[in-house]
Amino acid sequence: MSTTMHSHRRTRRAAGLGFTALVAAGAFGGTALAQSPSAGEPLNLAYLSFAVANSYDAPMLAAAKSVAKNQHASVTVLDAANDPKKQLAQLQTVITSKQYNGIIVQPIFGPQLIPTIKQAIAAGIKVVNIDQILGSDPSTAAPPVPGMSGNIVFVQTEIGKKQGSLVVKACAALKKNPCKVGYLYSVKVSSLDTAIRKGFDAVTAGHGIQVVAEGETFYNPANALKASQTMLQAQQDMDVIVGADQGATGAEQALNGKKVTLIGYGGGGVGLKAVKQGRWFGTVVQRPATEGKLGMQCVIKAVKGGKPCGGVDVLAGLPDGGIVTKANASKFKAEWPG
């Protein structure tokens, strides 16, 4: 997540917009908000952010707000600050308040939100999920809950697989076997990081790659700096450090002249520049602004009585699958600072 997350997405087929948004309004008993407001009646929408301070979230939220403003919709932003328990409580509060026609959810740990989301849908609230996978299957963009109005996401295991392929290539270029890797989680308890690591392990297995140290960054370069320093002190001969772009940024500051290959994911401005300059071996693109835009369009359409948007992988169709190296970095445009 990244919060790379993380972040660039190209436009794909209009018929395939995928999302997972949450619209909550009157579950937990009582009367739900009207599904389609009367003409001139304001649209009140809740936006559940995983972490407003994350540089990956900012363009996503800005794009969503821009769409809402043009559609005369009011948006209340709730910041979970990377805390899954807090996000669940926020979702429950949104529903019981009976103030909202729709909810966009950007989940930290999606599976725990599903029972509450089902209550919102049952109450007639439109729910759209964006960015991260809501259900228990991180390998698909299909909506995980019947009745959802949309699911606009990146497929999490694919990020891990793409990052793993970069590590395999980097280790081959270094001619290292075994190749010693330091792995930086962003939020280790999150379903996102679990899925990314699963994809990473699947691709790197059998290639002589050893994860010899781990750290956690919370998408913060300063945390990544400290975690990387600790890993490098414990493993003096580390060959590669891999993490979200924020993690790679902090790791770069920790090297102090050491020759360690860096690999990120997110494809923000910082990451793309580092790859173009050859300072990082590679990164994987994400598209947060596209997700925010499409997610807000979807929930407003649903509240006004339109058809569901379905599920969409916003990374489908990117050049080279969104895997960025120095050779192809000019093909990509950053959707977030990094």
Side-chain angles (χ1 to χ4, degrees):
M1 55 83 277
S2 104
T3 259
T4 122
M5 45 250 159
H6 324 17
S7 329
H8 316 292
R9 337 265 152 154
R10 300 289 177 291
T11 313
R12 22 214 109 276
R13 294 155 266 145
L17 290 183
F19 337 58
T20 313
L22 301 173
V23 176
F28 300 148
T31 304
L33 284 174
Q35 195 168 350
S36 302
S38 303
E41 189 176 328
L43 275 67
N44 294 318
L45 308 172
Y47 183 106
L48 274 65
S49 169
F50 79 88
V52 169
N54 192 314
S55 61
Y56 173 79
D57 184 70
M60 190 185 308
L61 178 56
K65 284 184 172 180
S66 178
V67 171
K69 182 178 180 180
N70 290 336
Q71 294 295 319
H72 308 291
S74 175
V75 179
T76 299
V77 179
L78 296 97
D79 181 11
N82 291 313
D83 185 340
K85 293 181 179 179
K86 183 177 181 179
Q87 187 171 62
L88 175 59
Q90 289 172 337
L91 177 59
Q92 292 168 339
T93 298
V94 165
I95 295 172
T96 57
S97 72
K98 303 178 185 177
Q99 296 178 9
Y100 300 96
N101 308 105
I103 302 171
I104 290 178
V105 171
Q106 185 190 21
I108 300 169
F109 183 67
Q112 77 163 354
L113 300 177
I114 286 180
T116 309
I117 287 171
K118 288 180 177 179
Q119 290 175 313
I121 294 171
I125 302 169
K126 303 304 178 184
V127 176
V128 172
N129 182 73
I130 64 172
D131 191 45
Q132 298 184 33
I133 298 298
L134 178 65
S136 58
D137 185 354
S139 66
T140 178
V145 178
M148 283 182 57
S149 296
N151 192 45
I152 300 180
V153 298
F154 63 91
V155 178
Q156 296 171 344
T157 53
E158 289 301 310
I159 293 289
K161 290 178 180 179
K162 293 171 184 178
Q163 208 173 28
S165 71
L166 282 169
V167 171
V168 170
K169 292 177 182 178
C171 289
L174 292 170
K175 298 181 180 180
K176 293 294 184 73
N177 191 345
C179 186
K180 297 183 177 181
V181 175
Y183 191 96
L184 290 172
Y185 287 96
S186 297
V187 183
K188 191 171 183 178
V189 299
S190 70
S191 53
L192 170 63
D193 272 31
T194 300
I196 288 176
R197 183 60 185 268
K198 181 178 180 180
F200 176 89
D201 288 343
V203 169
T204 56
H207 291 278
I209 292 165
Q210 298 178 353
V211 175
V212 295
E214 296 178 348
E216 189 173 21
T217 72
F218 294 97
Y219 299 106
N220 186 316
N223 292 342
L225 168 61
K226 294 177 182 178
S228 298
Q229 288 172 333
T230 299
M231 292 195 303
L232 289 165
Q233 288 170 0
Q235 299 289 335
Q236 299 283 326
D237 56 349
M238 191 177 295
D239 300 305
V240 177
I241 294 179
V242 61
D245 278 7
Q246 297 97 324
T249 298
E252 188 173 22
Q253 298 170 18
L255 295 184
N256 290 325
K258 286 187 176 182
K259 292 185 178 180
V260 178
T261 298
L262 300 176
I263 293 171
Y265 81 82
V270 170
L272 288 182
K273 182 178 179 180
V275 174
K276 286 178 181 179
Q277 294 178 345
R279 292 171 16 233
W280 298 4
F281 184 83
T283 187
V284 182
V285 163
Q286 290 184 276
R287 305 180 70 202
T290 297
E291 290 179 334
K293 175 184 176 180
L294 298 180
M296 186 58 72
Q297 288 175 343
C298 180
V299 74
I300 290 175
K301 176 183 175 183
V303 169
K304 289 183 175 180
K307 294 181 180 179
C309 299
V312 145
D313 174 5
V314 296
L315 303 185
L318 284 175
D320 301 312
I323 299 174
V324 186
T325 62
K326 186 176 182 179
N328 70 358
S330 61
K331 296 180 180 180
F332 301 95
K333 181 179 179 180
E335 284 196 6
W336 64 295

